[in-house]
Amino acid sequence: MEKNVLIPTDFTIESLNVVKSVLNDRPYECRYNIILLHGVQMSDSITDLLFYSKAKMLESLSNRHFDEACGVIRNKYASGINSMRVDLFNGSSQAAFDGYLLGNRIDEIYVPGRYRLRTSNKKSVNVLPYIRKCGKPVISVDWNMEVVLPEKGSLAEIFYNEATA
Amino acid sequence: MRKSLMNTQTKIAVMLIVAFLAIIMLFSGWVYFAIPGFLHDYYYDVLEIRAVAAGKMELDKDQRGLDDLRSVFSEKLMHEQDYFFKIEKNKDFKNEADSLGIPLSFFETALNEGGARYQDKQLFYVAVVYPSKQGNYVIVSQAQDYFEESFVAYLKKTLVAAIIIAFCVSLFIAVYYSKYIFKPLREITEKVQQISSENLHLRLDSRNSNDEMDELIHTFNDMLNRIETAFETQNNFISNASHELRTPLTAIIGEADVALSKDRTPEEYKTSIKVMLEEAEKLDAKTNALLSLAQTGFNGKIQRFERLRIDQLIWDVKNTVEKLNPKCNLHIDTSLLPEDPMKLMIKGNEQLLHLALANIIANACKYSDNQKVNVSLGASDDHVVIVVKDKGIGIPADELKYIYDPFFRASNTKNYAGYGIGLPLTRNIIKMHQGKISVSSLQGGGTTVQLTIPAWRRIDE
C-alpha cells in the first residue's frame, strides 16, 4: 500500500518530529511518499521571476543540518519511505492549494500540534490556513517541547526530540 | 614589497594607456584611410560625368543637354583638360598615351570595359567610351583634386592633434586610476607592517564599503584572530604542560627529601616509595597522553585505515568503558539506526577511533556522576553520526571555545580528576578521519557531543 503524505516544514530539525512520528506509527507494509512543504511568496518583480529557480530557492531556505537529518530519517525508515522530497508552494489562494493537493494526489496531511512553524525567511508564507480549509484528513502531532536541549539546531537534535503523538 | 606594488601600479597605468592609444589609433587610422578612398571615388565619378558632358558639348553639339549640364558644371575644375580620340579599327593609342604621359593599359581597359581610371600623383585621369553621332570616341578627362589634397592635409593635422590630446587625457586617467585603485592596498600594507608578534591585538579598520578591499581587510582580520588564538594556545600549552609535569615531580622530590632527612623504619620507607611510585605513574600517564596527542596531531604519519562498522565499534567501546568504570550507566540508542547496515560502514583506524570514542563516553560518565548517558547512532547518505549525550555538569558557555586547547579544564571541573588531554586528542583523531566534532552544552544542563564521520563508499575503494 502506498500513501502520499503532505507535511509542512520550516527547515528546522524540530519540525521533522512530525515525519518521525508518522513513520514510527505506520501500518505494516505501508510505504509513504512524503512531501515536506514550505510556502513561499512569489516575487512581484519581473526580473526576479525571470531568474527564479526552485532549486536555488530551496538551497537558500534549507541548511546542511536539515538535509543531513532528512538523510538520517530516510535511512532509518528505508522500508517505509518510497520517496521523500522538499517542495515549495508558490500559490496564494485556497484554490491553488487544493490544486496542488490534487496534482500530487495527497491522501493525508500531518501538521505539528503545539509547535509553531517558523517563517524565518522574509518570503515564507504560513500554509496552515490553507491546510485547515482543504477538506483532506488532517492529523496533528505533538511532542514534548518543554525540555531545553543543549544541542538545539544541530544535527544531534534529531535523536532526542521524542514525539509523543 | 613596496617596489613590486609600485610596479603593479605602473603596469596598470601603462596597460590602460596602451589600450586607450590602440583604440584611438585604430579609430583615426580607419578614418584617415576610409575618407580619402571615398573622396577618390566621388571625384572619379564627377570626372566621368564631366567627360560625358564634354563629349556631348564638343562632339554632339547637343544644345538641350548642354544647357542642363552647363548649369551643373558652370566652372572648370583645377587643371581640367578634355581630350577626344576617335576609335578606329586597328588603331592603338600608343602615340596618344605617350603624349599625355599615361600608360597604354589605361586606353586598353577603357576600350575593353567602356571606362578606365588612372591617377598620376595629383592628376586624375578618366577615360569614357562615348558613342557620339560622329562615331565612337574615347574621351579622356584630366584634372587635379585640390579639395581632396587640402582636406586630407587638414584631416591629418586634426587627427594628430586629437591623438596627442587623447594621449594626455588617457595618461592622466590611467595614472589617476591606478593610484586610486591601489590607495587602499597601500594603506593595508602600511597597517599590516605595523603588526608584529608584540601587538597581535591590532586590527585593520574596516571601510564599511562592502567591496573587495573590505573583504580583504576582513580576511586579514580573521587571519589575525586565528594567529592570535594560536599564539595564546601555544603559550598556554607550554606553561600548562610544564606545570602539569612538574606537579608529580615536585611530589616525588618532596617525598624523597622527607624520607632521606633521617633514618626511618622499613614501613615508612615503603609508604614513601609507594607515594613516589604513584606520582611517577601519574607522570608516565601524562607523558603517554602527550605523546599520543603529538602523534595524532602530526599529519605526516601514515595510519592504516580499514573498513569498519561503527555500531560494532560502539559496542566494543561500551565494554571497555564499563570495564574501566563499572558504575557507569550507558544506554545505546538505536532508534534511528538505518535499516541497511552497510550505511554504518566507515573507513578508519579502529584503535584510534576506539580511543576517541572511549574518551568521549568516559568523560560523559565522569562529568554526569554516572547518570544515564545516551549514545545514539544514525547515518545519512554521506555521514555516520554518533551523538553522546549526558545530563552532567555541562560546560560554561564562555569556556566552550577553549575546550580543544590541551590542558584546558573548565572552571566547574575542580572535583573531577583529569588533565585536559582527552578532548584535543579526540579532535585530532576525528580530524584525521575527515570528520567533525561539535560540542554543545548548557551549564548544569548536560553536554551533547556530536561526531560526524564520512561514510565509506564503495567508489572509494
Side-chain angles (χ1 to χ4, degrees), chain B residues 32 38 54 63 76 127 139 158 186 213 240 294 316 352 365 374 402 415 438:
Chain B
Y32 185 73
F38 170 74
Q63 197 54 52
K76 288 217 158 199
I139 306 170
T158 319
R186 269 201 307 277
M213 287 300 160
N240 284 334
D316 285 349
L352 287 178
C365 292
N374 256 312
Y402 302 116
N415 300 330
S438 72

mmCIF file of all heavy atoms in Angstrom, chain B residues 32 38 54 63 76 127 139 158 186 213 240 294 316 352 365 374 402 415 438:
data_model
loop_
_atom_site.group_PDB
_atom_site.id
_atom_site.type_symbol
_atom_site.label_atom_id
_atom_site.label_comp_id
_atom_site.label_asym_id
_atom_site.label_seq_id
_atom_site.Cartn_x
_atom_site.Cartn_y
_atom_site.Cartn_z
ATOM 1 N N TYR B 32 41.314 57.940 -41.420
ATOM 2 C CA TYR B 32 42.307 58.510 -42.331
ATOM 3 C C TYR B 32 42.342 57.766 -43.664
ATOM 4 O O TYR B 32 42.541 58.369 -44.709
ATOM 5 C CB TYR B 32 43.680 58.453 -41.666
ATOM 6 C CG TYR B 32 44.758 59.118 -42.482
ATOM 7 C CD1 TYR B 32 44.811 60.513 -42.575
ATOM 8 C CD2 TYR B 32 45.703 58.370 -43.151
ATOM 9 C CE1 TYR B 32 45.772 61.132 -43.331
ATOM 10 C CE2 TYR B 32 46.687 58.988 -43.916
ATOM 11 C CZ TYR B 32 46.710 60.363 -44.002
ATOM 12 O OH TYR B 32 47.670 60.971 -44.749
ATOM 13 N N PHE B 38 36.897 57.304 -50.185
ATOM 14 C CA PHE B 38 35.547 57.718 -50.566
ATOM 15 C C PHE B 38 35.617 58.952 -51.479
ATOM 16 O O PHE B 38 34.941 59.041 -52.506
ATOM 17 C CB PHE B 38 34.748 58.008 -49.300
ATOM 18 C CG PHE B 38 33.437 58.664 -49.557
ATOM 19 C CD1 PHE B 38 32.387 57.936 -50.079
ATOM 20 C CD2 PHE B 38 33.254 60.013 -49.298
ATOM 21 C CE1 PHE B 38 31.179 58.538 -50.326
ATOM 22 C CE2 PHE B 38 32.051 60.622 -49.556
ATOM 23 C CZ PHE B 38 31.008 59.884 -50.072
ATOM 24 N N ALA B 54 31.425 66.835 -71.605
ATOM 25 C CA ALA B 54 32.298 67.467 -72.608
ATOM 26 C C ALA B 54 32.065 66.844 -73.972
ATOM 27 O O ALA B 54 32.004 67.546 -74.993
ATOM 28 C CB ALA B 54 33.751 67.294 -72.174
ATOM 29 N N GLN B 63 22.372 70.902 -77.749
ATOM 30 C CA GLN B 63 22.111 72.196 -77.099
ATOM 31 C C GLN B 63 21.315 72.019 -75.810
ATOM 32 O O GLN B 63 21.626 72.611 -74.779
ATOM 33 C CB GLN B 63 21.336 73.099 -78.052
ATOM 34 C CG GLN B 63 21.374 74.580 -77.650
ATOM 35 C CD GLN B 63 22.809 75.081 -77.466
ATOM 36 O OE1 GLN B 63 23.641 74.907 -78.344
ATOM 37 N NE2 GLN B 63 23.100 75.694 -76.341
ATOM 38 N N LYS B 76 35.183 75.347 -64.525
ATOM 39 C CA LYS B 76 36.092 74.236 -64.764
ATOM 40 C C LYS B 76 36.757 73.796 -63.468
ATOM 41 O O LYS B 76 36.890 74.595 -62.533
ATOM 42 C CB LYS B 76 37.178 74.674 -65.759
ATOM 43 C CG LYS B 76 36.686 74.831 -67.152
ATOM 44 C CD LYS B 76 37.749 74.371 -68.114
ATOM 45 C CE LYS B 76 37.112 74.016 -69.465
ATOM 46 N NZ LYS B 76 37.988 73.176 -70.236
ATOM 47 N N ALA B 127 38.792 57.858 -68.466
ATOM 48 C CA ALA B 127 38.514 57.638 -69.888
ATOM 49 C C ALA B 127 37.118 57.058 -70.015
ATOM 50 O O ALA B 127 36.742 56.174 -69.243
ATOM 51 C CB ALA B 127 39.529 56.677 -70.480
ATOM 52 N N ILE B 139 36.888 59.588 -74.661
ATOM 53 C CA ILE B 139 37.089 60.915 -74.083
ATOM 54 C C ILE B 139 37.942 60.758 -72.830
ATOM 55 O O ILE B 139 37.627 59.955 -71.956
ATOM 56 C CB ILE B 139 35.752 61.578 -73.711
ATOM 57 C CG1 ILE B 139 34.831 61.586 -74.926
ATOM 58 C CG2 ILE B 139 35.981 62.972 -73.171
ATOM 59 C CD1 ILE B 139 33.418 61.987 -74.588
ATOM 60 N N THR B 158 44.248 67.371 -37.874
ATOM 61 C CA THR B 158 43.235 67.204 -36.830
ATOM 62 C C THR B 158 43.452 65.904 -36.066
ATOM 63 O O THR B 158 43.421 65.879 -34.836
ATOM 64 C CB THR B 158 41.827 67.164 -37.457
ATOM 65 O OG1 THR B 158 41.765 68.128 -38.469
ATOM 66 C CG2 THR B 158 40.768 67.389 -36.421
ATOM 67 N N ARG B 186 47.756 50.148 -0.490
ATOM 68 C CA ARG B 186 48.944 50.709 0.166
ATOM 69 C C ARG B 186 48.675 50.919 1.643
ATOM 70 O O ARG B 186 49.509 50.641 2.498
ATOM 71 C CB ARG B 186 49.320 52.035 -0.500
ATOM 72 C CG ARG B 186 50.293 51.900 -1.651
ATOM 73 C CD ARG B 186 51.000 53.216 -1.899
ATOM 74 N NE ARG B 186 50.048 54.305 -2.076
ATOM 75 C CZ ARG B 186 49.437 54.579 -3.224
ATOM 76 N NH1 ARG B 186 49.679 53.841 -4.277
ATOM 77 N NH2 ARG B 186 48.596 55.570 -3.308
ATOM 78 N N MET B 213 38.108 45.247 -1.313
ATOM 79 C CA MET B 213 39.108 45.690 -0.345
ATOM 80 C C MET B 213 38.618 45.409 1.074
ATOM 81 O O MET B 213 39.374 44.988 1.931
ATOM 82 C CB MET B 213 39.369 47.195 -0.511
ATOM 83 C CG MET B 213 40.162 47.519 -1.748
ATOM 84 S SD MET B 213 41.757 46.703 -1.722
ATOM 85 C CE MET B 213 42.161 46.764 -3.442
ATOM 86 N N ASN B 240 51.117 25.271 30.710
ATOM 87 C CA ASN B 240 50.316 24.194 31.314
ATOM 88 C C ASN B 240 51.082 22.875 31.365
ATOM 89 O O ASN B 240 51.060 22.171 32.380
ATOM 90 C CB ASN B 240 49.030 23.981 30.503
ATOM 91 C CG ASN B 240 48.035 25.069 30.790
ATOM 92 O OD1 ASN B 240 48.060 25.664 31.867
ATOM 93 N ND2 ASN B 240 47.191 25.341 29.815
ATOM 94 N N ALA B 294 50.669 14.279 20.381
ATOM 95 C CA ALA B 294 51.633 14.734 19.373
ATOM 96 C C ALA B 294 51.576 13.845 18.146
ATOM 97 O O ALA B 294 51.639 14.323 17.015
ATOM 98 C CB ALA B 294 53.036 14.736 19.967
ATOM 99 N N ASP B 316 32.015 -2.316 21.332
ATOM 100 C CA ASP B 316 33.351 -2.559 21.899
ATOM 101 C C ASP B 316 33.703 -1.477 22.914
ATOM 102 O O ASP B 316 34.183 -1.753 24.026
ATOM 103 C CB ASP B 316 34.412 -2.559 20.784
ATOM 104 C CG ASP B 316 34.369 -3.831 19.979
ATOM 105 O OD1 ASP B 316 33.675 -4.773 20.423
ATOM 106 O OD2 ASP B 316 35.027 -3.887 18.914
ATOM 107 N N LEU B 352 42.431 3.980 16.922
ATOM 108 C CA LEU B 352 42.321 5.413 17.186
ATOM 109 C C LEU B 352 40.869 5.812 17.463
ATOM 110 O O LEU B 352 40.587 6.550 18.411
ATOM 111 C CB LEU B 352 42.847 6.211 15.982
ATOM 112 C CG LEU B 352 44.364 6.197 15.806
ATOM 113 C CD1 LEU B 352 44.753 6.963 14.563
ATOM 114 C CD2 LEU B 352 45.030 6.811 17.019
ATOM 115 N N CYS B 365 30.333 9.919 31.247
ATOM 116 C CA CYS B 365 30.015 9.218 32.505
ATOM 117 C C CYS B 365 30.592 9.968 33.693
ATOM 118 O O CYS B 365 29.937 10.166 34.717
ATOM 119 C CB CYS B 365 30.590 7.797 32.487
ATOM 120 S SG CYS B 365 29.779 6.731 31.313
ATOM 121 N N ASN B 374 23.426 8.688 27.017
ATOM 122 C CA ASN B 374 22.833 8.179 25.795
ATOM 123 C C ASN B 374 23.846 8.230 24.666
ATOM 124 O O ASN B 374 24.455 9.255 24.431
ATOM 125 C CB ASN B 374 21.658 9.063 25.395
ATOM 126 C CG ASN B 374 20.352 8.386 25.711
ATOM 127 O OD1 ASN B 374 20.183 7.213 25.367
ATOM 128 N ND2 ASN B 374 19.458 9.106 26.362
ATOM 129 N N TYR B 402 37.400 27.120 24.392
ATOM 130 C CA TYR B 402 38.750 26.685 24.772
ATOM 131 C C TYR B 402 38.868 25.181 24.968
ATOM 132 O O TYR B 402 39.942 24.693 25.307
ATOM 133 C CB TYR B 402 39.188 27.361 26.078
ATOM 134 C CG TYR B 402 39.174 28.857 26.015
ATOM 135 C CD1 TYR B 402 38.310 29.600 26.818
ATOM 136 C CD2 TYR B 402 40.033 29.542 25.162
ATOM 137 C CE1 TYR B 402 38.283 30.974 26.762
ATOM 138 C CE2 TYR B 402 40.017 30.923 25.107
ATOM 139 C CZ TYR B 402 39.141 31.630 25.898
ATOM 140 O OH TYR B 402 39.130 32.985 25.826
ATOM 141 N N ASN B 415 36.251 19.186 40.980
ATOM 142 C CA ASN B 415 36.038 17.961 41.761
ATOM 143 C C ASN B 415 36.268 16.688 40.965
ATOM 144 O O ASN B 415 36.020 15.599 41.457
ATOM 145 C CB ASN B 415 34.606 17.934 42.314
ATOM 146 C CG ASN B 415 34.345 19.133 43.206
ATOM 147 O OD1 ASN B 415 35.275 19.643 43.844
ATOM 148 N ND2 ASN B 415 33.110 19.608 43.218
ATOM 149 N N SER B 438 31.405 18.381 17.231
ATOM 150 C CA SER B 438 30.865 19.636 17.737
ATOM 151 C C SER B 438 30.271 19.359 19.111
ATOM 152 O O SER B 438 29.632 18.337 19.344
ATOM 153 C CB SER B 438 29.824 20.205 16.783
ATOM 154 O OG SER B 438 28.661 19.438 16.841
#
